[in-house]
Amino acid sequence: RPVGYDPGMQYNAWLEYQWDTSLEFCLMILDTEHYTGKDISDYIPLIESCLTFFDEHYQYLARKRGIKVFDSNGHLILYPGSACETYKMAYNATSTIAALKTILSRVLELPHGYIDEKSREKWVAMLNRIPPISFTEFEGYRTISPALLWERINNKETPQLYPVFPWGIFGVGKPDLEIAVNTWKYDPDAVRFRSHVGWKQDNIFAARMGLTSEAAELSILKMKDS
């Protein structure tokens, strides 16, 4: 680590500004309640702590850069960020935006008794501060962008499809499915990075979008010699 490097940051090209995994744990907890009815009261402080970090940290970083803590639309400025480990030094990473929108919405949908009215007001206000997902075009088709802007590509993930999985914003029976399918078909990075090897989750993306033959093909490949 260089002398004077931020003590709160990992000195690592892949993991700098990459904190979304905390929100994936939150989703697993919320899914446990949703699918099984299990009492998750003991985990609510963890979920609220994860959300508070994103809200307060990015306002803190904005204050270090200038006077205003929000953009001209009143949204959090998620910079510097990271769209997975791939699109680095990202501005408004789509994977982070989708994660925050989903976790905040799911917390607000919890049965009565999990959060009090003061907390509810706090999370509604934060949800209204989350910036929109960014879009772009390839070959004339509208697609999900991995972020509004980024400095470099450092890995081979496809965070532009994280709104499909794990965050469930796009999918079968949900609005604008064709935008997600366009991303799968026409985004050159999404096509270039597609694989069945190791941790790749393209088979899950495909299944969530109703691309059954692609999902089957990738799943069968995954079940072969690793």
Side-chain angles (χ1 to χ4, degrees), residues 187-201:
D187 183 314
D189 286 347
V191 174
R192 181 163 59 99
F193 297 158
R194 190 165 303 146
S195 173
H196 64 280
V197 176
W199 42 261
K200 291 286 188 172
Q201 57 191 41

Side-chain angles (χ1 to χ4, degrees), residues 214-225:
E214 292 93 331
E217 179 184 359
L218 288 163
S219 295
I220 289 167
L221 286 169
K222 261 190 178 294
M223 292 177 192
K224 293 186 176 181
D225 191 321

Side-chain angles (χ1 to χ4, degrees), residues 37-222:
K38 181 179 173 66
D39 185 350
I40 58 167
S41 298
D42 289 347
Y43 295 99
I44 295 299
L46 169 63
I47 295 172
E48 293 191 313
S49 177
C50 292
L51 292 171
T52 298
F53 165 77
F54 281 88
D55 193 31
E56 294 187 358
H57 183 70
Y58 279 104
Q59 291 185 56
Y60 159 77
L61 291 181
R63 285 191 190 97
K64 292 181 71 174
R65 294 192 301 268
I67 299 298
K68 302 291 186 179
V69 296
F70 304 122
D71 69 13
S72 57
N73 295 310
H75 294 142
L76 284 171
I77 304 162
L78 301 174
Y79 177 83
S82 184
C84 296
E85 297 179 10
T86 299
Y87 299 87
K88 303 303 295 184
M89 300 303 289
Y91 189 110
N92 288 357
T94 290
S95 47
T96 304
I97 290 169
L100 289 169
K101 283 180 176 290
T102 295
I103 298 304
L104 285 162
S105 297
R106 291 283 298 274
V107 166
L108 292 168
E109 291 167 3
L110 282 171
H112 179 74
Y114 275 111
I115 58 172
D116 58 26
E117 193 55 37
K118 184 177 180 181
S119 295
R120 178 173 296 277
E121 291 174 2
K122 176 181 178 180
W123 303 132
V124 167
M126 183 178 174
L127 181 58
N128 290 331
R129 287 197 294 271
I130 305 304
I133 289 172
S134 297
F135 298 93
T136 187
E137 282 192 6
F138 292 102
E139 300 181 34
Y141 294 94
R142 194 177 194 215
T143 64
I144 306 166
S145 180
L148 184 62
L149 298 165
W150 58 91
E151 290 183 7
R152 70 181 194 275
I153 292 178
N154 208 74
N155 207 338
K156 294 183 178 181
E157 295 151 320
T158 312
Q160 48 270 59
L161 286 173
Y162 274 50
V164 175
F165 176 82
W167 303 116
I169 293 173
F170 297 91
V172 173
K174 297 182 178 181
D176 299 320
L177 173 59
E178 69 278 5
I179 299 175
V181 174
N182 289 343
T183 308
W184 170 274
K185 290 181 176 179
Y186 301 110
D187 183 314
D189 286 347
V191 174
R192 181 163 59 99
F193 297 158
R194 190 165 303 146
S195 173
H196 64 280
V197 176
W199 42 261
K200 291 286 188 172
Q201 57 191 41
D202 295 288
N203 56 330
I204 305 175
F205 294 150
R208 288 285 187 100
M209 292 186 288
L211 304 175
T212 52
S213 59
E214 292 93 331
E217 179 184 359
L218 288 163
S219 295
I220 289 167
L221 286 169
K222 261 190 178 294

